Amino acid sequence: MVDESSIVPIIPMKPLADCKTRLSRTLTAEERGDLVIGMLRRVIMAIKGASIEVFWVVGGDWRIRNLTRNFDGLWMEDFGRNLNDTLDKSFDRASERGYGSMYLPGDLPFLKPSDITSMLRSAGQGRNLVLAPARRDSGTNGILIPPKLAFKPELGNRSFTKHLSQAGKLGISVAICYSEGLGFDLDITEDLEFFQQREPGLLDRLTPHKPANAATEFPNLRGEGDPTAI
């Protein structure tokens, strides 16, 4: 298992107004923003619950910045041309500081500390690149790059296959990490309906104005029960 102190999780974000536009027929802009904040909050709590203290959130707006800082994370303005460029530059920054990188999207509503721990264990002694596939669309919902291992993100259409191919060309050993928390991301109305069937009341619990979910799931984390923490 790679040491959690040697890895920095990196969560790229967009301004809330630009998030989850495919849900616009179901949710208002305000509701979509609250949903994104709620999912990001869960991802951060999973990271903290896995005893990882250092994490970065790159991009977004003032609400995302404030949430990140509330959990003692480092927020940075987006500095890339696109998602892959932003992540690539973030990976380089982490490497310059002696860290390996863990890419996590901010829209994993079922992510738990055990999912993060599984990725750390899958890296072995730092020899394995770890990939977490999305449950659909051949996407990638998690990448763990141990320290001193070079790898470039290729997120987008069929990214999981592209990542496997790149690792093969580079001669990098790959571990694949499957879990519900890493596999289920929320993008479209069908996702929202399906997830609410799996976890009734999910949308209400993700809403940051209803802090009960944080207080009951991770009672030892500072500030998670405060509805003004956003």
Side-chain angles (χ1 to χ4, degrees), residues 196-224:
Q196 290 200 98
Q197 290 176 0
R198 292 182 67 87
E199 186 182 321
L202 173 67
L203 188 59
D204 287 340
R205 280 189 289 278
L206 287 174
T207 302
H209 304 301
K210 298 180 180 179
N213 96 78
T216 55
E217 289 181 15
F218 297 96
N220 294 325
L221 286 181
R222 179 174 60 81
E224 66 274 16

Side-chain angles (χ1 to χ4, degrees), residues 1-56:
M1 175 173 172
V2 69
D3 188 348
E4 63 269 11
S5 66
S6 69
I7 300 294
V8 56
I10 300 170
I11 310 169
M13 296 293 296
K14 295 188 291 187
L16 294 180
D18 298 330
C19 292
K20 304 304 172 189
T21 55
R22 285 186 283 179
L23 297 175
S24 59
R25 292 186 178 181
T26 305
L27 302 175
T28 66
E30 181 180 1
E31 289 170 335
R32 294 197 307 273
D34 286 348
L35 174 62
V36 170
I37 285 290
M39 289 191 292
L40 176 59
R41 189 184 184 91
R42 278 201 175 183
V43 171
I44 292 174
M45 288 194 299
I47 292 168
K48 301 287 281 188
S51 300
I52 297 179
E53 296 300 325
V54 178
F55 69 93
W56 300 350

Side-chain angles (χ1 to χ4, degrees), residues 14-219:
K14 295 188 291 187
L16 294 180
D18 298 330
C19 292
K20 304 304 172 189
T21 55
R22 285 186 283 179
L23 297 175
S24 59
R25 292 186 178 181
T26 305
L27 302 175
T28 66
E30 181 180 1
E31 289 170 335
R32 294 197 307 273
D34 286 348
L35 174 62
V36 170
I37 285 290
M39 289 191 292
L40 176 59
R41 189 184 184 91
R42 278 201 175 183
V43 171
I44 292 174
M45 288 194 299
I47 292 168
K48 301 287 281 188
S51 300
I52 297 179
E53 296 300 325
V54 178
F55 69 93
W56 300 350
V57 176
V58 184
D61 54 25
W62 66 270
R63 291 183 70 191
I64 291 169
R65 178 198 65 203
N66 289 353
L67 175 61
T68 302
R69 292 175 177 174
N70 242 11
F71 281 90
D72 298 324
L74 176 64
W75 180 84
M76 292 178 278
E77 292 187 8
D78 197 340
F79 42 74
R81 300 185 308 273
N82 52 47
L83 174 59
N84 284 316
D85 187 45
T86 293
L87 272 180
D88 192 29
K89 290 176 178 176
S90 298
F91 292 168
D92 286 344
R93 287 192 181 190
S95 180
E96 290 168 0
R97 290 161 174 76
Y99 289 110
S101 300
M102 178 188 291
Y103 155 68
L104 290 170
D107 61 350
L108 302 176
F110 299 121
L111 192 68
K112 297 178 180 178
S114 58
D115 299 313
I116 306 293
T117 301
S118 291
M119 291 189 70
L120 295 170
R121 287 176 177 164
S122 296
Q125 298 301 312
R127 294 184 297 270
N128 300 331
L129 170 76
V130 182
L131 299 174
R135 69 181 179 91
R136 58 171 172 77
D137 71 18
S138 300
T140 308
N141 281 351
I143 304 173
L144 191 154
I145 308 172
K148 301 181 181 180
L149 191 66
F151 189 79
K152 289 188 174 294
E154 298 184 77
L155 296 171
N157 187 39
R158 300 186 61 81
S159 66
F160 187 71
T161 301
K162 293 177 182 177
H163 289 140
L164 287 176
S165 177
Q166 180 188 162
K169 292 176 182 177
L170 294 173
I172 296 174
S173 175
V174 177
I176 300 176
C177 190
Y178 296 97
S179 76
E180 180 179 274
L182 288 163
F184 288 106
D185 54 325
L186 198 163
D187 284 316
I188 58 178
T189 300
E190 287 76 9
D191 292 335
L192 187 58
E193 294 171 349
F194 177 66
F195 294 169
Q196 290 200 98
Q197 290 176 0
R198 292 182 67 87
E199 186 182 321
L202 173 67
L203 188 59
D204 287 340
R205 280 189 289 278
L206 287 174
T207 302
H209 304 301
K210 298 180 180 179
N213 96 78
T216 55
E217 289 181 15
F218 297 96

